[in-house]
Amino acid sequence: MRSYDHKKIEKKWQKKWEKSGIYRSEETSGKPKAFVLDMFPYPSGEGLHVGHPKGYIATDIFSRHARMQGKSVLHPMGWDAFGLPAENYAIKNKVHPRKAVEKNVARFKEQLQKIGLDYDWSREINTTDPEYYRWTQWIFLKLFEKGLAYESFEPINWCPSCQTGLANEDLDGNVCERCGTVVEKRPMRQWTLKITDYAERLLKDLDLLPEWQEHIKESQRNWIGKSEGAEIEFAIQGTDEKLKVFTTRPDTLFGATYMVIAPEHPIIHKLESHIENVPELAKYAKEALAKTEIERTAEGKEKTGVKLEGVMAINPANKECIPIYAADYVLAHYGTGAIMAVPAHDFRDHEFATKFNLPIREVVHPLSAVKAGISDISASLQAAPIVMEGILINSSEFDGLPSEEAKVRITAKFGIAQTTYKLRDWVFSRQRYWGEPIPIVHCQKDGVVPVPYDQLPVRLPEVEHYEPTGTGESPLAAIPEWVNTTCPKCGGPAKRETNTMPQWAGSSWYYLRFMDPTNDAALVDPAKEKYWAPVDMYVGGAEHATRHLIYARFWHKFLFDISVVSTPEPFTRLISVGLIMAEDGKKMSKRYGNVINPDDIVETYGADTLRIYEMFMGPFTDAIAWKTSNLIGARRFIERVWRLQESFAESADENVERVLHQTIKKVGEDIRNFKFNTAISAMMIFVNEAEAKSVTKGQYKAFLKLLAPFAPHMADDLWHEIGNETSIHLEKWPKYDPQKILADTVTIAVQVNGKARATVSVPRDSDEETVKKVALEAVARWLEGKEQVRVIFVPNRLINLVLA
Ligand code: ANZ
């Protein structure tokens, strides 16, 4: 027998597959399709570690199985190569980001190819390729055309280390998610996308995704953060000004004993002539701006605030004059930036009222107290608020109403129903070099003018220095030849927009480009889109639950509205990969020096062993620690399969046949359900059985087909070795025979006078006569000379022969 030389075998088959192009995707086949997608990586300078390919191996198995089921498969790969990580790497290593990306891509690709993944490399894309980002810019122009991309001048998150503005989604609490530096608020001009126009659809359409993991849908719901409530206006005494608040508890209106506005609220400016302590308020606002939203709104945090001296508001419900405070726990950009404070029923208001000695008035009596006949809870209210709903008191004509009904009636009388979302518009510009230029020019006469579609792509120019300038302008601003241009409208002098797009831009639509990667007339050909869309299976890191996956859904819905795509949602099924931790239990990272390079594993043990090992570690979505010593188990399994080719039986053993059909059923179901570990244990059981008894060539062939998605190199090699000419990966997936699975045997205990004497194997559900015949043989020596008087028979369990 040939020895199992993984190096030779794996190289040989990788070459053959590439040459024969068996993994090319075809949309003209007339077959049903399967679009299987990995979240494409950014090609970092560190290369892949063994954790990265886990998801790729899984989609590889899934897509190979789909192909063998007769589907036309699209399983592509590409590079998300713009953005801060690529740029920071380039700066640190003093190479141009384009050069660094080229080198890193080559390295990543080589590493992936060594693992034997079935990507159609003819569809490879790279977000930094001008022929790709032309279409990213095209989408931006469409958004601009529809009023969904706009310039704004609000304070945004600024990372002093990365020297760029960031979206809320790019923060980890109050620090930059990339570098860990605490971000500041900094007012600056920026481009913003109106994702809030899509908030309701992004929320509602989560219901169209039954095959997404619930926890991911839940994080999206929280991120979108829908609140239903009311807007109510409070007049400012002695002026024509009004202060509008947003509240989710209009039922508590009679309990509003003061108001709070965000320190940066514009009404301060409007009331300047009435307010006596404007400088004090300005100072407080400045301090508040330096804090993050999380710091400002945390419950239990020491409350601060400044009273607006000289002005009072009027509670519209009871006409009471109440004071107004500026306090940082109210955010400028949520709701209306102002609240009615109800200290009896809200934690933060209670903390504030306690500190500033403001009245706490109960207006909603809890149901439990009503039931227990307790009417006075004012003492406990001084200690803590009662936040649950109940029955209204101290609320004039609304007394006695339950909260639910009071909300509706009070809103009808004093305000209007309103819904707000936590989701903010998407801050879409970065003050960095390595990103897609925003295709806009600024003309003195015509203002903001979009670059005409036929002038796309606006190419990123070559520069001497691509380090951030630190001035809030991108390095592009320092290249006059590029910046100075002519206005497409009037032909006069104009300047190009020098902000670039965030890294999330290119990844918000890349899956569409895989359907038609070289089309230079359209983003995607409609017929191809119709065939491939939507993505049937999408696999990637759980950390993208609220960023990439919200942005991509937003762009997709926009492209749906302008008829570029035909489905309301981009990804039908979504599964997140459980991390592979390092052997020490920590995250695998160069920083901890615990990284394992897949190249070394492939070299020593083989790609097929690596693949089986990673899929056998445990449930796919679990985080599990790597253990090199356990690779031996996977390698041994492969070697046992290899040895089975030594001798084939002439006729099939019934048990082996039964286990084979059970295995066919199990492996197919498990692959569809992403349960690769149990699929592999089913295959191990088959190998045990075949070793213990025998295996025919036919059985072996069927088994190799099951193994092929998992260990593609050795499966194809053995397949050819036993006399086949075409690749096993183009074979049909075997069918199991339901009859054969059922026709199994059971073990029956044979007793003589109630004493266990032997066991026999019989086909399941055999009748008494059949079982008695074999049982008599098995216990012959206990029967000698004795007469049988009775038989007790329990089907499939036992037979008891009672003797005289
Ligand atoms: C009065 C009230 C009484 C409130 C009560 C709550 C309880 P969610 O669910 O998060 O949407 N609020 C409104 N705008 C705010 C802002 N810009 N900054 C900080 N807080 C703000 O919360 C809505 C509630 O948060 C609103 O309802 C308002 O306080 C507060 F017993 O109004 B409520």
Side-chain angles (χ1 to χ4, degrees):
M1 189 186 63
R2 293 183 305 147
S3 66
Y4 173 57
D5 180 348
H6 65 260
K7 280 190 217 168
K8 225 169 96 194
I9 290 173
E10 290 176 358
K11 244 189 224 108
K12 169 173 144 199
W13 287 100
Q14 283 166 15
K15 264 200 200 121
K16 281 201 172 197
W17 296 332
E18 199 185 324
K19 214 168 135 213
S20 57
I22 60 167
Y23 304 133
R24 285 279 167 90
S25 309
E26 286 280 335
E27 51 270 291
T28 49
S29 58
K31 293 181 195 167
K33 61 93 186 181
F35 186 175
V36 185
L37 184 68
D38 297 290
M39 288 184 190
F40 65 161
Y42 72 80
S44 79
E46 294 176 10
L48 294 176
H49 64 59
V50 285
H52 296 117
K54 183 177 167 190
Y56 309 153
I57 293 169
T59 52
D60 189 67
I61 293 168
F62 190 86
S63 60
R64 286 174 184 276
H65 174 250
R67 187 179 296 107
M68 292 175 82
Q69 282 187 308
K71 296 202 174 134
S72 185
V73 167
L74 175 54
H75 186 215
M77 189 36 102
W79 317 104
D80 186 17
F82 267 137
L84 281 179
E87 187 169 351
N88 288 344
Y89 172 85
I91 290 172
K92 198 168 133 212
N93 296 285
K94 303 246 173 300
V95 282
H96 190 287
R98 186 172 34 76
K99 287 257 160 58
V101 162
E102 269 168 24
K103 190 167 142 242
N104 297 347
V105 161
R107 168 99 194 282
F108 263 62
K109 191 168 170 181
E110 192 196 330
Q111 286 189 294
L112 290 180
Q113 283 175 325
K114 277 189 189 164
I115 301 169
L117 304 168
D118 70 347
Y119 293 125
D120 176 357
W121 286 107
S122 73
R123 292 180 186 247
E124 178 179 353
I125 57 174
N126 184 329
T127 54
T128 66
D129 176 353
E131 286 312 308
Y132 179 89
Y133 68 67
R134 149 198 299 219
W135 298 105
T136 314
Q137 292 174 335
W138 184 91
I139 296 170
F140 180 89
L141 287 180
K142 287 285 168 195
L143 286 161
F144 179 77
E145 215 173 280
K146 304 281 175 198
L148 292 166
Y150 65 95
E151 267 183 305
S152 81
F153 300 85
E154 308 285 337
I156 59 162
N157 309 305
W158 174 263
C159 172
S161 161
C162 297
Q163 303 197 352
T164 183
L166 297 171
N168 280 353
E169 284 84 350
D170 298 322
L171 307 187
D172 213 349
N174 63 350
V175 303
C176 167
E177 178 254 352
R178 288 282 174 221
C179 69
T181 307
V182 175
V183 296
E184 301 162 357
K185 284 277 177 199
R186 185 159 169 176
M188 57 193 303
R189 182 187 70 85
Q190 78 242 238
W191 284 92
T192 309
L193 301 187
K194 232 176 177 177
I195 189 172
T196 50
D197 271 16
Y198 282 74
E200 188 58 34
R201 279 164 70 191
L202 287 170
L203 182 68
K204 214 174 74 224
D205 287 359
L206 288 171
D207 296 339
L208 302 178
L209 302 170
E211 294 186 272
W212 277 38
Q213 288 162 300
E214 196 48 47
H215 71 94
I216 294 194
K217 288 195 274 188
E218 204 43 35
S219 344
Q220 293 216 344
R221 285 190 194 104
N222 289 335
W223 192 265
I224 296 165
K226 179 177 180 173
S227 284
E228 280 172 302
E231 271 182 12
I232 300 174
E233 282 186 342
F234 285 60
I236 308 293
Q237 197 189 24
T239 74
D240 293 335
E241 288 301 328
K242 293 207 158 80
L243 193 52
K244 196 192 273 173
V245 304
F246 169 73
T247 176
T248 45
R249 294 292 306 273
D251 54 320
T252 64
L253 178 59
F254 287 80
T257 53
Y258 64 101
M259 300 190 78
V260 184
I261 60 174
E264 55 278 55
H265 198 290
I267 199 158
I268 297 180
H269 180 61
K270 286 191 192 148
L271 293 174
E272 231 161 32
S273 57
H274 298 268
I275 302 175
E276 293 156 8
N277 57 339
V278 172
E280 189 187 0
L281 287 163
K283 180 167 169 272
Y284 182 72
K286 209 172 152 202
E287 286 161 14
L289 263 181
K291 293 187 194 162
T292 65
E293 293 193 358
I294 299 199
E295 279 176 80
R296 285 172 57 159
T297 54
E299 259 171 33
K301 184 209 79 153
E302 173 83 20
K303 294 282 170 290
T304 61
V306 176
K307 190 172 169 194
L308 275 60
E309 300 292 351
V311 291
M312 295 284 256
I314 302 168
N315 183 330
N318 53 20
K319 305 290 182 258
E320 237 173 55
C321 278
I322 56 177
I324 307 170
Y325 287 80
D328 62 8
Y329 79 94
V330 170
L331 304 172
H333 297 284
Y334 184 63
T336 61
I339 66 159
M340 60 182 215
V342 185
H345 303 294
D346 179 86
F347 278 109
R348 283 181 288 234
D349 297 345
H350 192 278
E351 283 165 5
F352 191 88
T354 307
K355 175 153 179 197
F356 288 86
N357 220 354
L358 292 155
I360 297 173
R361 183 191 311 138
E362 187 195 12
V363 289
V364 177
H365 204 55
L367 264 182
S368 53
V370 174
K371 278 192 191 133
I374 303 168
S375 60
D376 186 8
I377 52 168
S378 49
S380 88
L381 262 185
Q382 298 309 310
I386 290 174
V387 296
M388 64 256 210
E389 300 186 348
I391 304 294
L392 266 70
I393 58 169
N394 297 329
S395 297
S396 153
E397 67 201 83
F398 304 98
D399 280 357
L401 288 180
S403 288
E404 268 319 295
E405 200 182 332
K407 281 183 185 175
V408 178
R409 304 254 301 256
I410 291 181
T411 302
K413 184 152 178 194
F414 301 107
I416 50 163
Q418 186 62 264
T419 302
T420 62
Y421 300 87
K422 294 242 154 58
L423 185 71
R424 297 275 72 96
D425 276 344
W426 178 6
V427 174
F428 195 70
S429 36
R430 299 292 179 272
Q431 293 68 45
R432 298 290 299 245
Y433 170 70
W434 193 234
E436 302 86 347
I438 290 177
I440 291 285
V441 303
H442 299 270
C443 167
Q444 273 190 354
K445 192 166 139 278
D446 295 310
V448 169
V449 181
V451 172
Y453 288 100
D454 61 11
Q455 287 176 28
L456 297 184
V458 176
R459 283 168 191 269
L460 204 52
E462 293 293 324
V463 286
E464 297 278 314
H465 302 286
Y466 41 81
E467 281 85 353
T469 59
T471 60
E473 274 195 306
S474 104
L476 294 178
I479 314 169
E481 316 81 271
W482 186 81
V483 173
N484 294 320
T485 181
T486 49
C487 171
K489 232 181 188 165
C490 69
K495 286 190 187 306
R496 284 193 191 281
E497 172 64 57
T498 57
N499 280 323
T500 54
M501 299 187 197
Q503 176 173 23
W504 306 106
S507 59
S508 291
W509 71 279
Y510 73 110
Y511 55 96
L512 296 171
R513 196 61 179 169
F514 282 133
M515 301 172 185
D516 194 11
T518 54
N519 193 336
D520 56 12
L523 185 156
V524 57
D525 174 73
K528 291 184 177 169
E529 189 277 335
K530 268 242 152 55
Y531 181 71
W532 290 117
V535 172
D536 299 283
M537 170 60 87
Y538 195 22
V539 177
E543 70 276 16
H544 293 300
T546 50
R547 293 187 293 182
H548 163 58
L549 286 169
I550 282 195
Y551 295 148
R553 290 182 63 225
F554 162 42
W555 276 30
H556 190 90
K557 287 185 181 305
F558 170 69
L559 293 173
F560 179 76
D561 292 347
I562 61 166
S563 304
V564 174
V565 299
S566 59
T567 64
E569 284 289 331
F571 315 118
T572 304
R573 225 178 133 188
L574 173 79
I575 296 186
S576 41
V577 196
L579 288 178
I580 293 186
M581 312 303 283
E583 237 168 289
D584 56 13
K586 286 202 199 122
K587 221 179 138 160
M588 214 174 262
S589 159
K590 208 171 173 184
R591 197 172 355 147
Y592 303 129
N594 56 11
V595 167
I596 303 221
N597 186 333
D599 299 359
D600 299 338
I601 303 294
V602 167
E603 175 77 15
T604 316
Y605 300 89
D608 285 339
T609 296
L610 171 74
R611 295 168 59 110
I612 297 269
Y613 170 68
E614 292 208 356
M615 294 300 102
F616 192 55
M617 288 176 95
F620 180 71
T621 51
D622 285 7
I624 303 171
W626 176 269
K627 204 157 192 259
T628 299
S629 59
N630 285 357
L631 274 159
I632 303 292
R635 170 77 187 204
R636 237 178 249 142
F637 167 62
I638 283 181
E639 285 172 359
R640 287 168 64 197
V641 175
W642 187 261
R643 276 199 299 273
L644 283 179
Q645 66 177 307
E646 262 174 80
S647 73
F648 294 126
E650 286 299 316
S651 64
D653 177 279
E654 240 176 72
N655 275 316
V656 175
E657 187 70 3
R658 173 172 47 81
V659 176
L660 174 66
H661 284 261
Q662 286 169 341
T663 311
I664 295 172
K665 179 167 189 279
K666 176 95 178 127
V667 173
E669 287 169 359
D670 281 354
I671 291 176
R672 281 192 294 279
N673 294 323
F674 257 56
K675 292 188 172 159
F676 306 107
N677 57 330
T678 51
I680 293 170
S681 42
M683 289 192 281
M684 288 174 169
I685 291 171
F686 173 82
V687 171
N688 287 346
E689 201 69 16
E691 279 176 344
K693 309 216 164 78
S694 66
V695 64
T696 66
K697 194 165 172 184
Q699 288 172 331
Y700 192 58
K701 277 168 80 170
F703 175 74
L704 285 181
K705 290 183 197 170
L706 305 184
L707 184 69
F710 295 82
H713 308 90
M714 68 112 55
D716 223 357
D717 199 71
L718 288 166
W719 181 251
H720 281 75
E721 188 65 22
I722 58 174
N724 297 288
E725 308 260 284
T726 51
S727 173
I728 193 169
H729 302 297
L730 302 178
E731 286 297 308
K732 284 264 157 310
W733 187 255
K735 282 207 162 58
Y736 63 89
D737 179 348
Q739 284 309 315
K740 285 194 174 158
I741 290 176
L742 289 180
D744 58 351
T745 55
V746 286
T747 305
I748 290 197
V750 185
Q751 301 176 343
V752 179
N753 284 340
K755 267 206 184 109
R757 294 297 185 195
T759 58
V760 291
S761 273
V762 292
R764 182 183 291 281
D765 298 329
S766 299
D767 59 13
E768 186 177 322
E769 269 320 296
T770 318
V771 177
K772 193 173 153 193
K773 238 163 82 187
V774 282
L776 285 174
E777 267 179 45
V779 295
R781 63 194 178 98
W782 285 281
L783 301 179
E784 261 159 41
K786 291 185 188 127
E787 202 190 333
Q788 246 175 268
V789 287
R790 227 154 31 95
V791 172
I792 298 166
F793 175 62
V794 185
N796 296 327
R797 301 267 313 268
L798 79 97
I799 187 162
N800 184 7
L801 309 170
V802 185
L803 307 180

